[in-house]
Short mmCIF file of all heavy atoms in Angstrom, two decimals:
data_model
loop_
_atom_site.label_atom_id
_atom_site.label_comp_id
_atom_site.label_asym_id
_atom_site.label_seq_id
_atom_site.Cartn_x
_atom_site.Cartn_y
_atom_site.Cartn_z
N ILE M 1047 -14.73 -15.02 8.33
CA ILE M 1047 -13.54 -14.76 7.49
C ILE M 1047 -13.52 -13.29 7.08
O ILE M 1047 -12.50 -12.61 7.21
CB ILE M 1047 -13.52 -15.68 6.26
CG1 ILE M 1047 -13.30 -17.14 6.70
CG2 ILE M 1047 -12.44 -15.25 5.27
CD1 ILE M 1047 -13.50 -18.16 5.60
N ILE M 1048 -14.66 -12.77 6.62
CA ILE M 1048 -14.74 -11.37 6.20
C ILE M 1048 -14.47 -10.44 7.39
O ILE M 1048 -13.73 -9.46 7.26
CB ILE M 1048 -16.11 -11.07 5.55
CG1 ILE M 1048 -16.20 -11.79 4.19
CG2 ILE M 1048 -16.34 -9.57 5.39
CD1 ILE M 1048 -17.58 -11.82 3.58
N LEU M 1049 -15.03 -10.76 8.54
CA LEU M 1049 -14.79 -9.93 9.73
C LEU M 1049 -13.32 -9.99 10.17
O LEU M 1049 -12.75 -8.98 10.58
CB LEU M 1049 -15.71 -10.35 10.87
CG LEU M 1049 -17.20 -10.04 10.66
CD1 LEU M 1049 -18.04 -10.63 11.80
CD2 LEU M 1049 -17.44 -8.54 10.53
N GLY M 1050 -12.72 -11.16 10.08
CA GLY M 1050 -11.29 -11.29 10.40
C GLY M 1050 -10.43 -10.47 9.46
O GLY M 1050 -9.47 -9.79 9.90
N ILE M 1051 -10.75 -10.50 8.17
CA ILE M 1051 -10.01 -9.70 7.19
C ILE M 1051 -10.19 -8.21 7.49
O ILE M 1051 -9.22 -7.44 7.45
CB ILE M 1051 -10.48 -10.03 5.75
CG1 ILE M 1051 -10.03 -11.44 5.36
CG2 ILE M 1051 -9.95 -9.00 4.74
CD1 ILE M 1051 -10.65 -11.97 4.07
N LEU M 1052 -11.41 -7.79 7.81
CA LEU M 1052 -11.68 -6.38 8.10
C LEU M 1052 -10.88 -5.89 9.30
O LEU M 1052 -10.19 -4.86 9.22
CB LEU M 1052 -13.18 -6.18 8.35
CG LEU M 1052 -13.60 -4.76 8.76
CD1 LEU M 1052 -13.32 -3.76 7.64
CD2 LEU M 1052 -15.07 -4.74 9.16
N VAL M 1053 -10.93 -6.61 10.40
CA VAL M 1053 -10.23 -6.19 11.62
C VAL M 1053 -8.71 -6.20 11.40
O VAL M 1053 -8.00 -5.26 11.79
CB VAL M 1053 -10.64 -7.06 12.82
CG1 VAL M 1053 -9.80 -6.73 14.05
CG2 VAL M 1053 -12.13 -6.86 13.13
N ALA M 1054 -8.21 -7.25 10.74
CA ALA M 1054 -6.77 -7.33 10.48
C ALA M 1054 -6.32 -6.18 9.58
O ALA M 1054 -5.26 -5.58 9.81
CB ALA M 1054 -6.43 -8.67 9.83
N THR M 1055 -7.12 -5.86 8.57
CA THR M 1055 -6.75 -4.79 7.64
C THR M 1055 -6.79 -3.43 8.32
O THR M 1055 -5.88 -2.61 8.12
CB THR M 1055 -7.69 -4.80 6.42
OG1 THR M 1055 -7.57 -6.07 5.76
CG2 THR M 1055 -7.33 -3.71 5.44
N ILE M 1056 -7.81 -3.18 9.12
CA ILE M 1056 -7.88 -1.89 9.82
C ILE M 1056 -6.64 -1.72 10.70
O ILE M 1056 -5.98 -0.67 10.66
CB ILE M 1056 -9.17 -1.79 10.67
CG1 ILE M 1056 -10.40 -1.64 9.76
CG2 ILE M 1056 -9.08 -0.60 11.64
CD1 ILE M 1056 -11.72 -1.77 10.50
N ALA M 1057 -6.29 -2.74 11.46
CA ALA M 1057 -5.13 -2.65 12.36
C ALA M 1057 -3.84 -2.48 11.56
O ALA M 1057 -3.04 -1.57 11.84
CB ALA M 1057 -5.05 -3.90 13.23
N ASN M 1058 -3.64 -3.32 10.56
CA ASN M 1058 -2.41 -3.30 9.78
C ASN M 1058 -2.27 -2.00 9.01
O ASN M 1058 -1.21 -1.36 9.02
CB ASN M 1058 -2.39 -4.51 8.84
CG ASN M 1058 -1.03 -4.73 8.24
OD1 ASN M 1058 -0.55 -3.90 7.49
ND2 ASN M 1058 -0.44 -5.87 8.55
N HIS M 1059 -3.33 -1.57 8.35
CA HIS M 1059 -3.24 -0.39 7.50
C HIS M 1059 -3.24 0.91 8.31
O HIS M 1059 -2.64 1.90 7.87
CB HIS M 1059 -4.35 -0.39 6.45
CG HIS M 1059 -4.07 -1.37 5.36
ND1 HIS M 1059 -4.56 -1.23 4.09
CD2 HIS M 1059 -3.32 -2.51 5.34
CE1 HIS M 1059 -4.14 -2.23 3.34
NE2 HIS M 1059 -3.39 -3.02 4.09
N PHE M 1060 -3.85 0.91 9.49
CA PHE M 1060 -3.73 2.10 10.34
C PHE M 1060 -2.27 2.28 10.75
O PHE M 1060 -1.74 3.39 10.68
CB PHE M 1060 -4.62 1.99 11.59
CG PHE M 1060 -4.39 3.11 12.55
CD1 PHE M 1060 -4.89 4.37 12.29
CD2 PHE M 1060 -3.63 2.91 13.69
CE1 PHE M 1060 -4.65 5.43 13.17
CE2 PHE M 1060 -3.39 3.96 14.57
CZ PHE M 1060 -3.90 5.22 14.32
N LEU M 1061 -1.63 1.19 11.17
CA LEU M 1061 -0.23 1.28 11.57
C LEU M 1061 0.66 1.68 10.39
O LEU M 1061 1.58 2.49 10.54
CB LEU M 1061 0.24 -0.04 12.17
CG LEU M 1061 -0.42 -0.42 13.50
CD1 LEU M 1061 -0.02 -1.84 13.91
CD2 LEU M 1061 -0.07 0.58 14.59
N ALA M 1062 0.37 1.13 9.21
CA ALA M 1062 1.16 1.47 8.02
C ALA M 1062 0.96 2.93 7.62
O ALA M 1062 1.92 3.64 7.32
CB ALA M 1062 0.77 0.55 6.86
N ALA M 1063 -0.30 3.40 7.62
CA ALA M 1063 -0.58 4.80 7.27
C ALA M 1063 0.03 5.73 8.31
O ALA M 1063 0.56 6.80 7.97
CB ALA M 1063 -2.09 5.02 7.16
N LEU M 1064 -0.02 5.33 9.59
CA LEU M 1064 0.58 6.14 10.66
C LEU M 1064 2.09 6.25 10.46
O LEU M 1064 2.67 7.33 10.59
CB LEU M 1064 0.27 5.52 12.02
CG LEU M 1064 0.81 6.26 13.24
CD1 LEU M 1064 0.21 7.65 13.34
CD2 LEU M 1064 0.51 5.46 14.51
N LEU M 1065 2.72 5.14 10.10
CA LEU M 1065 4.16 5.17 9.83
C LEU M 1065 4.46 6.11 8.67
O LEU M 1065 5.34 6.97 8.76
CB LEU M 1065 4.67 3.76 9.53
CG LEU M 1065 6.15 3.66 9.11
CD1 LEU M 1065 7.06 4.14 10.23
CD2 LEU M 1065 6.48 2.25 8.70
N GLY M 1066 3.73 5.97 7.57
CA GLY M 1066 3.94 6.84 6.43
C GLY M 1066 3.70 8.30 6.76
O GLY M 1066 4.48 9.18 6.38
N HIS M 1067 2.63 8.55 7.49
CA HIS M 1067 2.29 9.92 7.89
C HIS M 1067 3.36 10.50 8.81
O HIS M 1067 3.75 11.66 8.67
CB HIS M 1067 0.92 9.93 8.58
CG HIS M 1067 0.45 11.28 8.99
ND1 HIS M 1067 -0.01 12.19 8.08
CD2 HIS M 1067 0.39 11.87 10.20
CE1 HIS M 1067 -0.35 13.30 8.73
NE2 HIS M 1067 -0.12 13.13 10.01
N SER M 1068 3.85 9.69 9.73
CA SER M 1068 4.89 10.14 10.67
C SER M 1068 6.18 10.45 9.94
O SER M 1068 6.84 11.45 10.23
CB SER M 1068 5.15 9.07 11.73
OG SER M 1068 4.00 8.86 12.49
N ILE M 1069 6.54 9.61 9.01
CA ILE M 1069 7.77 9.84 8.24
C ILE M 1069 7.64 11.10 7.41
O ILE M 1069 8.56 11.90 7.33
CB ILE M 1069 8.09 8.62 7.35
CG1 ILE M 1069 8.50 7.43 8.21
CG2 ILE M 1069 9.18 8.94 6.35
CD1 ILE M 1069 8.62 6.12 7.45
N ALA M 1070 6.47 11.30 6.79
CA ALA M 1070 6.26 12.48 5.96
C ALA M 1070 6.32 13.75 6.79
O ALA M 1070 6.80 14.78 6.32
CB ALA M 1070 4.92 12.38 5.23
N GLY M 1071 5.82 13.67 8.01
CA GLY M 1071 5.83 14.85 8.88
C GLY M 1071 7.24 15.24 9.29
O GLY M 1071 7.54 16.43 9.47
N VAL M 1072 8.11 14.27 9.44
CA VAL M 1072 9.49 14.53 9.85
C VAL M 1072 10.35 14.94 8.66
O VAL M 1072 11.17 15.84 8.73
CB VAL M 1072 10.09 13.28 10.55
CG1 VAL M 1072 11.57 13.45 10.80
CG2 VAL M 1072 9.35 13.00 11.84
N LEU M 1073 10.13 14.25 7.56
CA LEU M 1073 10.95 14.48 6.37
C LEU M 1073 10.13 15.19 5.29
O LEU M 1073 9.57 14.57 4.40
CB LEU M 1073 11.48 13.14 5.84
CG LEU M 1073 12.28 12.31 6.84
CD1 LEU M 1073 12.53 10.92 6.30
CD2 LEU M 1073 13.59 13.00 7.16
N THR M 1074 10.09 16.50 5.36
CA THR M 1074 9.28 17.27 4.41
C THR M 1074 10.10 17.84 3.26
O THR M 1074 9.58 18.60 2.46
CB THR M 1074 8.56 18.43 5.14
OG1 THR M 1074 9.55 19.23 5.80
CG2 THR M 1074 7.55 17.90 6.14
N GLN M 1075 11.34 17.49 3.19
CA GLN M 1075 12.20 18.02 2.14
C GLN M 1075 11.85 17.38 0.80
O GLN M 1075 11.29 16.29 0.73
CB GLN M 1075 13.66 17.80 2.49
CG GLN M 1075 14.06 18.53 3.77
CD GLN M 1075 15.50 18.27 4.13
OE1 GLN M 1075 16.23 17.63 3.40
NE2 GLN M 1075 15.91 18.77 5.29
N ASP M 1076 12.24 18.06 -0.26
CA ASP M 1076 11.91 17.59 -1.61
C ASP M 1076 12.47 16.19 -1.91
O ASP M 1076 11.82 15.39 -2.56
CB ASP M 1076 12.40 18.57 -2.67
CG ASP M 1076 11.47 19.76 -2.83
OD1 ASP M 1076 10.35 19.73 -2.29
OD2 ASP M 1076 11.87 20.72 -3.52
N TRP M 1077 13.66 15.90 -1.41
CA TRP M 1077 14.25 14.59 -1.70
C TRP M 1077 13.37 13.47 -1.18
O TRP M 1077 13.24 12.41 -1.81
CB TRP M 1077 15.68 14.47 -1.15
CG TRP M 1077 15.75 14.39 0.36
CD1 TRP M 1077 15.91 15.42 1.21
CD2 TRP M 1077 15.63 13.22 1.16
NE1 TRP M 1077 15.90 14.97 2.51
CE2 TRP M 1077 15.73 13.61 2.52
CE3 TRP M 1077 15.45 11.87 0.89
CZ2 TRP M 1077 15.65 12.72 3.58
CZ3 TRP M 1077 15.38 10.97 1.94
CH2 TRP M 1077 15.48 11.40 3.27
N PHE M 1078 12.73 13.69 -0.01
CA PHE M 1078 11.86 12.66 0.54
C PHE M 1078 10.60 12.52 -0.31
O PHE M 1078 10.11 11.42 -0.55
CB PHE M 1078 11.50 12.98 2.00
CG PHE M 1078 10.57 11.96 2.59
CD1 PHE M 1078 11.03 10.68 2.89
CD2 PHE M 1078 9.23 12.25 2.80
CE1 PHE M 1078 10.18 9.73 3.42
CE2 PHE M 1078 8.38 11.30 3.33
CZ PHE M 1078 8.85 10.03 3.64
N ARG M 1079 10.05 13.64 -0.75
CA ARG M 1079 8.86 13.60 -1.59
C ARG M 1079 9.16 12.91 -2.91
O ARG M 1079 8.34 12.17 -3.44
CB ARG M 1079 8.32 15.01 -1.78
CG ARG M 1079 7.84 15.58 -0.42
CD ARG M 1079 7.44 17.02 -0.45
NE ARG M 1079 6.29 17.20 -1.29
CZ ARG M 1079 6.01 18.34 -1.91
NH1 ARG M 1079 6.79 19.38 -1.78
NH2 ARG M 1079 4.94 18.43 -2.66
N TYR M 1080 10.37 13.12 -3.45
CA TYR M 1080 10.77 12.38 -4.66
C TYR M 1080 10.89 10.88 -4.35
O TYR M 1080 10.52 10.04 -5.17
CB TYR M 1080 12.11 12.90 -5.20
CG TYR M 1080 11.97 14.13 -6.07
CD1 TYR M 1080 12.39 15.37 -5.61
CD2 TYR M 1080 11.43 14.04 -7.35
CE1 TYR M 1080 12.26 16.50 -6.41
CE2 TYR M 1080 11.30 15.17 -8.15
CZ TYR M 1080 11.72 16.39 -7.68
OH TYR M 1080 11.59 17.51 -8.47
N ALA M 1081 11.39 10.56 -3.17
CA ALA M 1081 11.50 9.14 -2.78
C ALA M 1081 10.12 8.49 -2.69
O ALA M 1081 9.94 7.34 -3.11
CB ALA M 1081 12.24 9.01 -1.45
#
Side-chain angles (χ1 to χ4, degrees):
I1047 293 170
I1048 291 168
L1049 291 174
I1051 291 169
L1052 176 64
V1053 173
T1055 301
I1056 290 170
N1058 193 295
H1059 285 206
F1060 173 76
L1061 294 172
L1064 181 62
L1065 175 63
H1067 182 75
S1068 298
I1069 291 171
V1072 172
L1073 303 170
T1074 56
Q1075 298 178 5
D1076 280 348
W1077 70 268
F1078 178 72
R1079 295 173 65 206
Y1080 277 108

